[in-house]
C-alpha cells in the first residue's frame, strides 16, 4: 500500500520519482484529457541565472481511441516547469507543464511497480465511450481499481475528481493562452477521502 499525499494544484512544487499522479491536460477546445502518471525522473537546468527549468519525466498511463477501439496506452511524457528567478518573490512567475492544467498526487509506489499498475489497469479501458468524457470516466474507474487493489487510498473518487476538474477548468484558459499560473506559488490541499 502506498502512502497518500495531499497536494493538488495546477503546478505542484515537484513531481517525485515513484509517486502516482492524476493529470488533466487541455485539448485546446474547452475539454480535458485525463491521465494517470508515475514520476520516473527529473532533470534540472538553470539558464543564465534568470530562470530555472525543471524537466519531470512521467510514465503516462491513459486511454486512447486513436488506433481504432479504446486501448490503454503507456508512454513517457516530459512536463516542463519553468520558474523565472528574477521575479519578485510575491509575484513569482511560473510557466506550467505545456498543456497540463492540473497535477494531483494520489500516493506513492511502495509494494508495487509501474508494471503492476499497468496489469491492474489493463481491464479498465472502455469498450465504447464518448471521446470527450472517456478519459475522465476512465481515470475515475482506474482510481477505483487501484483503491480496491490497495495501491492507493481514495474511497471518494467522484468528489476527488470533481474538485480536480474545477481546478483544471479554471486553469485551462490560461494554459490555452500560453500564460503561466497566476499565484502559482499558492497550493490547494485536496484529500481523496471525505
Amino acid at each position: 500500500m502506498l502512502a497518500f499525499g495531499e497536494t493538488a494544484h495546477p503546478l505542484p512544487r515537484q513531481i517525485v520519482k515513484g509517486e502516482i499522479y492524476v493529470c488533466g491536460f487541455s485539448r485546446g477546445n474547452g475539454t480535458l484529457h485525463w491521465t494517470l502518471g508515475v514520476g520516473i525522473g527529473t532533470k534540472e537546468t538553470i539558464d543564465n541565472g534568470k530562470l530555472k527549468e525543471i524537466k519531470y519525466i512521467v510514465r503516462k498511463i491513459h486511454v486512447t481511441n486513436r488506433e481504432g477501439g479504446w486501448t490503454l496506452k503507456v508512454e513517457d511524457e516530459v512536463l516542463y516547469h519553468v520558474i523565472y528567478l528574477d521575479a519578485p518573490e510575491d509575484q513569482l512567475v511560473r510557466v506550467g507543464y505545456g498543456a497540463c492544467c492540473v497535477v494531483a498526487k494520489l500516493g506513492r509506489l511502495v509494494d508495487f511497480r509501474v508494471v503492476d499498475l499497468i496489469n491492474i489497469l489493463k481491464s479498465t479501458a472502455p469498450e465504447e465511450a464518448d471521446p470527450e468524457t472517456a478519459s475522465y470516466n476512465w481515470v475515475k474507474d482506474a482510481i477505483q481499481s487501484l483503491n480496491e487493489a490497495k495501491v492507493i487510498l481514495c474511497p471518494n473518487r467522484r468528489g476527488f475528481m470533481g474538485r480536480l476538474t474545477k481546478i483544471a477548468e479554471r486553469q485551462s484558459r490560461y494554459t490555452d493562452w500560453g500564460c503561466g499560473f497566476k499565484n502559482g506559488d499558492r497550493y490547494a490541499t485536496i484529500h481523496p477521502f471525505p
Side-chain angles (χ1 to χ4, degrees):
M1 176 128 170
L2 61 85
F4 170 72
E6 64 282 337
T7 302
H9 184 271
L11 196 61
R13 295 188 189 279
Q14 63 182 341
I15 292 178
V16 178
K17 183 176 181 177
E19 290 185 347
I20 305 169
Y21 300 89
V22 174
C23 306
F25 294 86
S26 173
R27 291 186 175 121
N29 64 0
T31 64
L32 297 163
H33 178 69
W34 293 92
T35 74
L36 294 180
V38 177
I40 59 172
T42 303
K43 181 179 180 183
E44 183 177 313
T45 58
I46 294 182
D47 182 44
N48 298 331
K50 294 190 179 209
L51 65 85
K52 179 178 181 182
E53 178 183 88
I54 306 168
K55 298 177 183 177
Y56 296 109
I57 304 163
V58 176
R59 180 90 9 102
K60 183 169 83 171
I61 306 166
H62 63 119
V63 291
T64 179
N65 67 348
R66 290 190 176 157
E67 299 164 5
W70 289 96
T71 59
L72 188 70
K73 187 164 185 169
V74 180
E75 57 194 332
D76 288 351
E77 175 97 12
V78 176
L79 302 178
Y80 295 89
H81 181 174
V82 179
I83 303 172
Y84 290 91
L85 301 174
D86 58 354
E89 191 62 34
D90 62 336
Q91 297 173 6
L92 189 65
V93 178
R94 297 173 185 263
V95 177
Y97 302 140
C100 193
C101 296
V102 68
V103 177
K105 181 179 166 185
L106 276 174
R108 174 177 269 300
L109 290 173
V110 175
D111 298 327
F112 296 89
R113 300 168 297 157
V114 174
V115 70
D116 299 323
L117 297 184
I118 294 164
N119 288 332
I120 291 167
L121 298 173
K122 276 184 182 176
S123 63
T124 60
E127 291 182 24
E128 291 184 28
D130 176 354
E132 288 190 10
T133 59
S135 64
Y136 178 81
N137 291 327
W138 174 78
V139 165
K140 283 195 312 185
D141 293 344
I143 290 171
Q144 181 66 30
S145 293
L146 295 175
N147 190 57
E148 289 172 359
K150 300 193 183 322
V151 177
I152 63 170
L153 175 61
C154 184
N156 185 6
R157 63 191 167 119
R158 284 184 179 87
F160 180 62
M161 287 301 294
R163 288 176 281 177
L164 290 183
T165 299
K166 286 179 184 175
I167 293 170
E169 286 173 346
R170 242 187 347 259
Q171 181 59 40
S172 68
R173 67 177 163 238
Y174 300 111
T175 299
D176 293 345
W177 295 338
C179 299
F181 293 94
K182 191 169 183 170
N183 298 322
D185 53 341
R186 293 186 185 168
Y187 294 83
T189 300
I190 293 185
H191 299 279
F193 43 82

